[in-house]
Amino acid sequence: MARVPVVARNILNVIRRPPRALARHYRTRHPLPSLELVHPPHPWSRALGLVAVVILGAWLGLLIVGNVRVPVGPMNTTMTLRPSVSGGTKINVSPLGALQLDSHHAPVRLDVNVDQLDPERSQALVDHPERLSGLQDEVAKDVEHGTMDLAVRSCVAVVSGATALGLAVYRRPRRALAAGGLALTLLAASGGTAYATWNPESVLEPKFSGLLSSAPSLVGNARSIVTEFDVYQKELARLVTNVTKLYDVTSTLPAYQPDPTTIRVLHVSDIHLNPASWKIIASLVEQYKVNVIVDSGDTMDHGSAAENSFLDPIPNLGAPYVWVRGNHDSLTTQRYLAGLKNVHVLDEGDAQTVAGLRFAGIGDPQFTPDRTNQPGAEESQEVAGLRLARALRAQTTADTPVDIAVAHEPSAARMVDGDVPLVLAGHLHHQEMEILKRGTRLRIEGSTGGSGLRAVEGKYPDPIEASILYMDRDTRRLQAWDEIKLGGLGLTTAEVSRHLPEENQPGATQTPSPSGSAP
């Protein structure tokens, strides 16, 4: 048989192939053009979508099952973790208000809701007050036990919520498990961050929001805070004890019992003819058992004689009233105040001892009721401050050092740096605390009148601000202070923030005193 040419043999093989083999052969040699109507998602879009599902699912899980009911001392509480930008701890004491503690920095916040007071346990404390000495250990154990339970339950809630939502969104078990694993990783990272940034001393400087009348009892006494350094357990026990007292069976607030070794100074400023200020000041004097009130000026708005009757409530506020002239106060105002009972007017550096503290101050050299700026205003303030500084040094030379200096303008107050431990001012209508170069502490008060009639000029009324300064009765040095801020035009709710000087922080070393300060 003649040899078939190679080309012919290949043609015969192609013809003999089955139709399906021919089709596959054609597709591999000449693939059909494909038409994609939907582009696959970008990897970053898929990742962001997964993170969104994880966060939403974890949050829903915490809302549904992520809370633990824990008895803490005599109270029944509910502990919950919540997503948060700043972290921290919030203790809700309904209906009195809430305490906020800067306890940690992590994307989770610990909420502790005080649900109710256990009648049997609270009555046992009333009947056996000696048990209060062991309350701190009991509270610490209760909180530790509750925190452990909350950690386990939160892990289950976060993983379950993220996994369930992942399964509902993606309908793929692998993606759902990936969401649960990522949720657990994020929770572990948040827990690690909280542990690394945990600050037990945060209970020393709580921020209270709620009823003004309950603030002193909840925030507690400044002196005991300064002297007790076993911080976490003792202060947590103190908070629990205070809450227990607030939930007394008579439903009345307990009387604030200040430490007798402190002198409590109420600093007010820039009242600007707001009649509501007198009621607020009287309430603060009563609530905090204030020993002396210091007003750093601008009590009036125009300083006219017609306004003098506005000052008549001062003798009945319940504490001595120390005052310096502001730029809205006239000499007419000053002479009227000097004639009122229980009022101590400071000017030209003259010193007076009131409630165990020695004060000296100077009136504002400017009188600008129309809010105009006169030429040389800054220079005149500095000259007035220098006169006050000379008077302070003279008092120190005479062995009668001044404890607190008072001026209206901060520019005048800064001139006494190094001549007095503490100087008070106002004028700026907001609160500040500053350590000057030579060691003097400058405290600038906000407007206790909420800026007066100007409070309603903006979209929201300006807040009413004041401070409680806790002074050591022996050394006459500042131990702590509470910044008080009320809603515009004097609402009944308040924010109270406790602060400690750096030298009174646990473990801090004492800083040198400015010349003229008490030992």
Side-chain angles (χ1 to χ4, degrees):
M1 181 178 180
R3 188 175 183 179
V4 180
V6 176
V7 176
R9 190 166 60 246
N10 291 339
I11 293 174
L12 291 175
N13 290 336
V14 171
I15 294 174
R16 292 169 184 166
R17 289 179 183 175
R20 289 183 181 177
L22 286 173
R24 284 196 300 271
H25 176 74
Y26 181 79
R27 282 198 300 267
T28 56
R29 296 288 301 274
H30 305 281
L32 293 173
S34 60
L35 181 62
E36 294 187 4
L37 298 178
V38 179
H39 293 284
H42 194 278
W44 285 107
S45 301
R46 290 198 299 267
L48 291 176
L50 180 61
V51 170
V53 168
V54 167
I55 293 176
L56 180 59
W59 180 66
L60 292 175
L62 287 175
L63 283 179
I64 297 172
V65 296
N67 57 71
V68 174
R69 292 186 61 84
V70 180
V72 177
M75 299 179 302
N76 294 323
T77 68
T78 302
M79 294 185 177
T80 312
L81 288 181
R82 291 283 182 258
S84 171
V85 176
S86 57
T89 299
K90 184 176 182 181
I91 304 174
N92 298 300
V93 190
S94 179
L96 304 174
L99 283 171
Q100 296 179 358
L101 310 176
D102 190 18
S103 57
H104 62 277
H105 299 281
V108 288
R109 185 187 71 202
L110 175 62
D111 283 2
V112 181
N113 296 313
V114 179
D115 300 325
Q116 63 181 6
L117 191 68
D118 186 272
E120 296 181 0
R121 284 178 284 164
S122 60
Q123 189 62 43
L125 286 176
V126 173
D127 296 337
H128 304 280
E130 68 275 5
R131 295 185 182 180
L132 287 174
S133 60
L135 182 61
Q136 63 185 41
D137 295 328
E138 178 185 350
V139 169
K141 291 179 182 178
D142 291 342
V143 171
E144 181 180 1
H145 176 72
T147 305
M148 292 298 296
D149 287 351
L150 179 62
V152 174
R153 183 176 286 252
S154 297
C155 287
V156 174
V158 164
V159 173
S160 301
T163 303
L165 186 61
L167 187 61
V169 172
Y170 296 112
R171 302 184 183 277
R172 296 179 183 177
R174 292 182 61 184
R175 298 296 294 274
L177 291 176
L182 180 58
L184 183 60
T185 302
L186 292 177
L187 182 62
S190 300
T193 304
Y195 180 81
T197 60
W198 181 252
N199 176 28
E201 285 86 6
S202 61
V203 294
L204 297 179
E205 299 182 281
K207 179 179 180 181
F208 172 80
S209 301
L211 296 176
L212 178 60
S213 56
S214 59
S217 298
L218 275 180
V219 176
N221 200 299
R223 179 67 183 186
S224 60
I225 282 177
V226 171
T227 56
E228 294 177 358
F229 296 108
D230 187 7
V231 178
Y232 181 63
Q233 292 186 2
K234 288 185 178 180
E235 288 307 308
L236 190 58
R238 181 186 60 77
L239 290 174
V240 173
T241 304
N242 289 350
V243 172
T244 302
K245 292 177 180 178
L246 291 175
Y247 278 111
D248 187 77
V249 291
T250 61
S251 299
T252 57
L253 294 174
Y256 175 58
Q257 299 296 331
D259 193 293
T261 62
T262 61
I263 301 173
R264 291 158 303 283
V265 179
L266 172 60
H267 184 198
V268 301
S269 189
D270 296 86
I271 293 175
H272 286 289
L273 282 181
N274 186 346
S277 300
W278 300 133
K279 294 181 180 179
I280 293 169
I281 292 173
S283 176
L284 291 172
V285 169
E286 180 182 0
Q287 294 295 330
Y288 283 88
K289 310 301 180 187
V290 166
N291 300 107
V292 56
I293 306 166
V294 178
D295 185 343
S296 50
D298 273 5
T299 311
M300 300 301 216
D301 218 10
H302 297 90
S304 64
E307 296 172 334
N308 286 344
S309 60
F310 171 75
L311 305 170
D312 291 342
I314 291 179
N316 301 317
L317 292 177
Y321 200 88
V322 177
W323 182 85
V324 296
R325 188 178 67 252
N327 62 292
H328 283 258
D329 305 316
S330 66
L331 289 174
T332 301
T333 303
Q334 181 166 311
R335 286 190 291 269
Y336 188 84
L337 270 169
L340 293 178
K341 183 181 178 180
N342 219 19
V343 175
H344 304 265
V345 174
L346 304 178
D347 201 2
E348 295 302 327
D350 292 337
Q352 298 187 39
T353 299
V354 184
L357 295 171
R358 194 155 179 81
F359 296 90
I362 193 165
D364 197 303
Q366 299 286 321
F367 178 53
T368 54
D370 55 356
R371 290 181 276 175
T372 58
N373 291 321
Q374 296 181 1
E378 186 71 19
E379 292 77 5
S380 67
Q381 295 293 341
E382 294 178 356
V383 169
L386 290 174
R387 291 204 308 272
L388 178 57
R390 284 195 297 270
L392 295 174
R393 290 192 290 270
Q395 291 287 334
T396 302
T397 304
D399 201 24
T400 55
V402 170
D403 304 309
I404 300 177
V406 190
H408 179 65
E409 287 247 11
S411 54
R414 287 187 171 90
M415 295 295 103
V416 304
D417 185 15
D419 297 312
V420 68
L422 177 64
V423 58
L424 306 180
H427 187 65
L428 300 184
H429 290 206
H430 65 264
Q431 297 175 330
E432 291 184 14
M433 185 72 90
E434 178 184 351
I435 302 295
L436 303 178
K437 292 182 179 179
R438 297 175 59 191
T440 292
R441 184 181 294 272
L442 169 61
R443 172 66 187 173
I444 302 173
E445 191 51 75
S447 175
T448 312
S451 301
L453 294 177
R454 290 182 293 279
V456 296
E457 290 180 354
K459 185 177 181 180
Y460 300 102
D462 291 345
I464 290 177
E465 296 177 316
S467 299
I468 301 292
L469 311 176
Y470 300 91
M471 310 293 294
D472 186 280
R473 193 174 291 275
D474 295 328
T475 65
R476 302 186 298 280
R477 298 299 300 272
L478 182 67
Q479 296 292 308
W481 72 94
D482 289 343
E483 293 183 355
I484 301 171
K485 182 181 295 187
L486 282 71
L489 301 181
L491 302 181
T492 56
T493 56
E495 288 185 359
V496 181
S497 301
R498 166 64 50 79
H499 301 276
L500 298 180
E502 293 78 3
E503 60 269 21
N504 283 341
Q505 297 285 350
T509 57
Q510 293 292 324
T511 57
S513 302
S515 60
S517 65

